[in-house]
Amino acid sequence: MAYTTGSSTFNLDLNDLIEEAYERAGVEVRTGYEFRTARRSLNLLTIEWANRGINLWTIQEGQIVLTTGQLIYPLPADTIDLLDHVIRQNNSTASTQSDINITRISESTYSTIPNKLTQGRPIQVWVNRQTAQTNATSVTLSSTVTSTATSITLSDVSSLTTTGFVKIDSETISYTNIVDNTLTNCWRGQNGTTATTHATGASVYIQNLPCVNVWPSPDAGGNYTFVYWRLRRLQDAGNGVNVEDIPFRLVPCMVAGMAFYIAMKRTDVAPDRVAMLKDEYEQQWLLASQEDREKAADRFVPRQLFY
């Protein structure tokens, strides 16, 4: 009598993934450079997938406790975009917890709000999709900064935007204005960091973090939490023994995509084979994207906006 294996854990680590892709392209992996260039292609492929639309397995829920008067809140650095968001009141009390819609607006709409410091329950949000890069500068602190200081004087501010984030030592700080060489309206310990004291002469880095701007700014006693569902970036290719950050059902698509990417860079792969690999990749993507979708019925909620 024959028996099944009882196992359903098959997957490809990075080494096997690259080897399979090279075989489909009709070439062999012979040098460390070929492995390195294949890994680079894989990282580019996963970025392309983010541009093709929603990857369901990268959706994550997050929460930001809103602070009275604070307009700008950072998102995790690997955030691609937000899908949905609500304002939750009484987050810690189950019997009175309530989620209230907050409308996403464009930069142009946010910029035309007359008084951005108005306080109340936030009803609108602008999602500012920055690069998440941290840039070195020649800027330093002109004086010691305590852990509770809300104004920070720098040696120079010419390279800074009028609103944004800076990193000093291990702390991320949000600011909403610059007066002379001083950052004002500073919100300390942002993005999961801790507010600490910083010495004179400490280096100041610019952080281009993705963030949300809420309006009105939260009022006192509102007990507001910004709850969101975000798309995150796929994790990078590893060092050879890692399994990629995708569900098993998308492995064939990833192999096909890598084979196509590799073939494009090889002068010894015939153009008709490159075209064949591209067609196979598009076919595998179509199959994968049709499967990787919401199975629930669509729900449309009419909404009217008045200006």
Side-chain angles (χ1 to χ4, degrees):
M1 181 181 293
Y3 295 93
T4 62
T5 63
S7 173
S8 55
T9 59
F10 172 79
N11 208 330
L12 296 177
D13 62 30
L14 184 59
N15 282 329
D16 289 337
L17 193 68
I18 290 174
E19 185 176 355
E20 176 69 17
Y22 267 93
E23 288 175 352
R24 293 192 183 195
V27 291
E28 296 181 3
V29 183
R30 295 179 177 177
T31 67
Y33 173 77
E34 289 169 330
F35 179 89
R36 187 173 63 190
T37 190
R39 185 171 60 181
R40 183 169 64 242
S41 292
L42 180 57
N43 283 325
L44 290 171
L45 180 67
T46 58
I47 294 173
E48 181 203 326
W49 284 11
N51 290 333
R52 284 181 178 252
I54 296 173
N55 307 128
L56 291 184
W57 70 94
T58 64
I59 297 176
Q60 291 183 339
E61 181 182 344
Q63 298 185 9
I64 302 173
V65 177
L66 303 186
T67 303
T68 302
Q70 184 175 348
L71 297 171
I72 306 173
Y73 299 86
L75 295 168
D78 62 345
T79 299
I80 296 174
D81 201 359
L82 300 189
L83 297 177
D84 292 290
H85 28 65
V86 295
I87 292 295
R88 179 170 295 170
Q89 290 188 271
N90 304 316
N91 193 19
S92 60
T93 307
S95 60
T96 59
Q97 183 186 102
S98 62
D99 287 351
I100 307 170
N101 182 64
I102 180 170
T103 303
R104 181 168 177 169
I105 60 176
S106 66
E107 177 275 330
S108 59
T109 300
Y110 180 79
S111 67
T112 58
I113 295 175
N115 186 357
K116 297 177 178 59
L117 299 180
T118 300
Q119 293 191 4
R121 174 177 63 81
I123 60 173
Q124 294 181 321
V125 59
W126 167 44
V127 182
N128 190 353
R129 300 172 62 190
Q130 291 295 310
T131 62
Q133 293 178 340
T134 298
N135 300 324
T137 67
S138 58
V139 179
T140 58
L141 290 181
S142 295
S143 59
T144 298
V145 176
T146 66
S147 61
T148 58
T150 57
S151 297
I152 300 175
T153 303
L154 309 180
S155 60
D156 178 52
V157 296
S158 58
S159 60
L160 275 67
T161 58
T162 55
T163 298
F165 299 91
V166 294
K167 187 174 184 180
I168 306 174
D169 298 325
S170 59
E171 181 188 358
T172 295
I173 301 170
S174 167
Y175 65 94
T176 58
N177 201 8
I178 298 178
V179 178
D180 296 326
N181 276 3
T182 300
L183 308 182
T184 63
N185 299 326
C186 295
W187 300 93
R188 307 295 301 276
Q190 299 294 291
N191 211 28
T193 61
T194 302
T196 59
T197 298
H198 306 286
T200 303
S203 297
V204 178
Y205 298 86
I206 299 173
Q207 284 197 298
N208 297 313
L209 294 173
C211 58
V212 293
N213 293 49
V214 298
W215 185 86
S217 65
D219 57 350
N223 192 19
Y224 305 119
T225 301
F226 182 76
V227 182
Y228 60 87
W229 288 262
R230 72 183 183 109
L231 286 178
R232 64 164 176 82
R233 285 185 57 174
L234 272 68
Q235 297 175 15
D236 298 335
N239 57 10
V241 298
N242 306 90
V243 175
E244 296 311 301
D245 180 30
I246 63 169
F248 72 92
R249 60 186 181 273
L250 271 85
V251 170
C253 181
M254 176 164 279
V255 172
M258 275 198 66
F260 168 56
Y261 271 45
I262 290 169
M264 284 196 299
K265 297 192 289 187
R266 302 283 301 216
T267 58
D268 53 345
V269 177
D272 58 341
R273 190 182 189 104
V274 176
M276 180 271 291
L277 291 171
K278 182 179 187 300
D279 290 342
E280 174 63 15
Y281 170 43
E282 294 297 341
Q283 175 65 18
Q284 289 296 334
W285 172 259
L286 181 63
L287 294 173
S289 60
Q290 287 178 339
E291 196 285 331
D292 189 59
R293 60 181 175 82
E294 293 280 10
K295 304 301 193 296
D298 288 332
R299 182 173 67 94
F300 297 93
V301 180
R303 181 183 303 159
Q304 290 182 316
L305 298 178
F306 300 93
Y307 297 94

